[in-house]
Amino acid sequence: MITKIHQMNTLARLFLVLVTATFFACSEEEMPSPTPIPDVTPPDPMEEPGLPPLKDEASFLVGMTVATDKLDNPRNVEIMRRDFSSLTGEWQMKMNIMYPSQGTYNFGPADEIVDFAEANNINMHGHALIWHSSTPSWVENFAGSDQEFEDMIKDYITTVVTRYKGRVASWDVVNEALSDDPGHPLRETVFSRRLGPDYVRKCHQWARDADPDVILFYNDYNIAGIQSKRQAAFDLVDDLGDLVDGLGAQMHVRVDWPSRSSIQEFVDGTVARGLKVHLSELDVRTNIEDDASLSQLSDAKAEEQKNKYKEIVEVFNAIPEENQYALTVWGLRDNESWLLDFWGVPEWPLLYNEDYDYKPAYEGFLEGLQ
Ligand code: G3I
């Protein structure tokens, strides 16, 4: 069926090219009277029968990131409602946005996102209460004592979790607490310095106390791909015990990395601990390292990317239902991905292209569900 739809699209486009070429190939002398131009308006991908919605095909939550500007875009909204059953705020539910100065909260954007999710019966994942990269400068430079710092962070976590109690189903409590140095697993941040080495536990306790029913995650990057970091994440959740409900692996991956077996190891270790799995922040890079010379997505790379999406979905789909939380894609259209600025080279890491057309990656996602 997928192939047929693509053939239809290709034929429609071919028809358009042929008609346009014929029209311009005719000189004025050859056209005694104005030739009626057939209506060849390109098909609107959202109006023609398309591929099945991801969320209808998946038996688990299929997540997407969102920011308030996307909620002002009808096309985005249509696709979010159609394909996705879970949302994560891409940056407006972080501390630098929600708590810009001491005692003054800015819940406007977060409220808008949570309202949208609720109105559309979409699951809401909170991201992230504490993240060293999105910490406001007044917190970095906090002038009070360590005890005052602790009281302030406790108050912040309590305030935010309480505000969205019953509406935000889950939170990443501390994002990326682990360093990339296996010898010193805990990343040094203002939080580790001022709250002490057991600060992740403290933050989880405050979140748990504020909403005993909310699902609490530890979320980090490269824990599916790098064995030593994966082990550090397992050690951390073992230490948290029942203060954590799930482990989120940011899936900022490449067509050639990590291997299926190392993703599977992450999943198996998480399931063995009785935790929920969130394959969070999924995007698949194609334009990498010595080969970063691609100026457009080649058919071969698109196929590799499709296969990687398929592989990741297959792994997630095989997880026992009680351990599946969500598989969240980190952005809708290729041109909107954070990766473009981050790596400074062209990239096409997502399921939709700039024109909102499905990519082969979307087909890979669907095939992974079969
Ligand atoms: O701060 C301004 C804001 O005032 C203004 O309204 C807005 C207008 O566009 O720009 C704001 O800056 C935004 C910034 O976050 C705020 O911190 C940027 O647009 C926004 O793109 C930016 O980047 C986000 C980043 O996290 C920092 O929050 C990315 O979109 C988002 O993809 C990225 O996500 C992180 C995950 O949370 C954790 N894992 C890594 C991942 C990629 O870095």
Side-chain angles (χ1 to χ4, degrees):
M1 176 190 170
I2 291 169
T3 318
K4 270 188 189 155
I5 290 160
H6 271 266
Q7 282 169 348
M8 277 171 51
N9 284 338
T10 308
L11 284 173
R13 288 191 186 109
L14 188 61
F15 179 59
L16 173 63
V17 169
L18 283 174
V19 169
T20 311
T22 310
F23 178 71
F24 283 108
C26 295
S27 67
E28 275 179 37
E29 301 81 60
E30 288 167 327
M31 284 197 296
S33 60
T35 310
I37 304 168
D39 178 10
V40 287
T41 309
D44 181 337
M46 296 309 293
E47 284 174 8
E48 65 184 272
L51 297 172
L54 299 178
K55 76 169 189 316
D56 291 359
E57 301 297 301
S59 59
F60 51 80
L61 293 175
V62 184
M64 171 49 56
T65 55
V66 67
T68 49
D69 63 317
K70 306 288 188 308
L71 300 178
D72 299 332
N73 177 332
R75 202 70 178 272
N76 262 279
V77 167
E78 189 178 356
I79 296 179
M80 282 192 285
R81 287 191 183 126
R82 195 193 90 109
D83 278 327
F84 300 99
S85 44
S86 182
L87 288 177
T88 302
E90 188 165 356
W91 52 274
Q92 289 162 316
M93 294 177 78
K94 295 171 183 169
M95 193 179 195
N96 62 332
I97 303 296
M98 290 200 296
Y99 203 16
S101 62
Q102 188 162 15
T104 306
Y105 285 91
N106 168 27
F107 287 125
D111 283 355
E112 200 180 323
I113 290 169
V114 175
D115 287 350
F116 175 84
E118 198 168 60
N120 291 284
N121 202 23
I122 298 176
N123 179 72
M124 189 69 226
H125 174 66
H127 171 83
L129 294 170
I130 299 290
W131 184 30
H132 65 278
S133 279
S134 286
T135 304
S137 53
W138 71 267
V139 172
E140 292 281 358
N141 305 318
F142 190 79
S145 67
D146 287 352
Q147 186 57 52
E148 286 166 338
F149 186 89
E150 180 160 332
D151 293 345
M152 178 273 290
I153 295 295
K154 179 181 177 184
D155 182 61
Y156 157 74
I157 289 179
T158 306
T159 301
V160 173
V161 174
T162 303
R163 182 178 185 86
Y164 297 111
K165 195 172 178 171
R167 303 180 72 205
V168 168
S170 51
W171 277 103
D172 291 330
V173 180
V174 181
N175 190 48
E176 302 175 10
L178 297 172
S179 80
D180 295 317
D181 176 358
H184 302 278
L186 195 66
R187 183 191 295 277
E188 200 198 309
T189 66
V190 67
F191 303 103
S192 67
R193 282 195 300 277
R194 307 214 61 174
L195 300 173
D198 62 342
Y199 85 93
V200 178
R201 163 177 285 275
K202 289 180 180 177
C203 293
H204 272 255
Q205 185 68 63
W206 298 326
R208 180 69 93 218
D209 291 346
D211 182 357
D213 296 326
V214 77
I215 300 168
L216 302 181
F217 277 93
Y218 177 70
N219 190 61
D220 212 327
Y221 65 89
N222 286 354
I223 59 177
I226 297 180
Q227 198 280 330
S228 56
K229 198 160 180 183
R230 176 160 61 247
Q231 189 55 51
F234 288 155
D235 293 345
L236 191 150
V237 292
D238 288 345
D239 183 55
L240 288 172
D242 59 11
L243 287 176
V244 67
D245 304 300
L247 196 43
Q250 297 178 17
M251 297 298 284
H252 300 299
V253 302
R254 308 171 3 168
V255 286
D256 61 348
W257 185 89
S259 65
R260 182 183 188 123
S261 62
S262 69
I263 301 170
Q264 191 66 55
E265 272 179 40
F266 164 74
V267 164
D268 291 346
T270 306
V271 170
R273 287 167 169 79
L275 295 171
K276 292 184 183 302
V277 180
H278 188 189
L279 293 187
S280 61
E281 308 189 23
L282 174 58
D283 43 39
V284 180
R285 284 169 64 207
T286 58
N287 205 10
I288 35 187
E289 261 86 87
D290 47 346
D291 191 29
S293 54
L294 287 181
S295 57
Q296 57 181 24
L297 183 62
S298 64
D299 290 348
K301 283 287 175 202
E303 191 64 18
E304 279 184 63
Q305 186 183 56
K306 171 185 171 178
N307 291 336
K308 200 68 190 173
Y309 268 99
K310 179 179 175 182
E311 177 183 281
I312 291 167
V313 173
E314 277 175 351
V315 170
F316 192 81
N317 201 31
I319 296 173
E321 201 182 321
E322 61 272 24
N323 299 98
Q324 283 176 329
Y325 184 63
L327 177 52
T328 296
V329 186
W330 206 244
L332 193 70
R333 292 186 294 164
D334 283 341
N335 57 308
E336 295 166 339
S337 170
W338 70 284
L339 289 164
L340 300 181
D341 283 344
F342 189 81
W343 292 103
V345 294
E347 190 49 82
W348 311 269
L350 300 170
L351 300 175
Y352 285 88
N353 70 17
E354 187 170 357
D355 300 324
Y356 294 97
D357 292 329
Y358 310 113
K359 290 166 59 195
Y362 190 105
E363 297 168 28
F365 196 117
L366 289 173
E367 288 176 15
L369 295 168
Q370 284 154 18

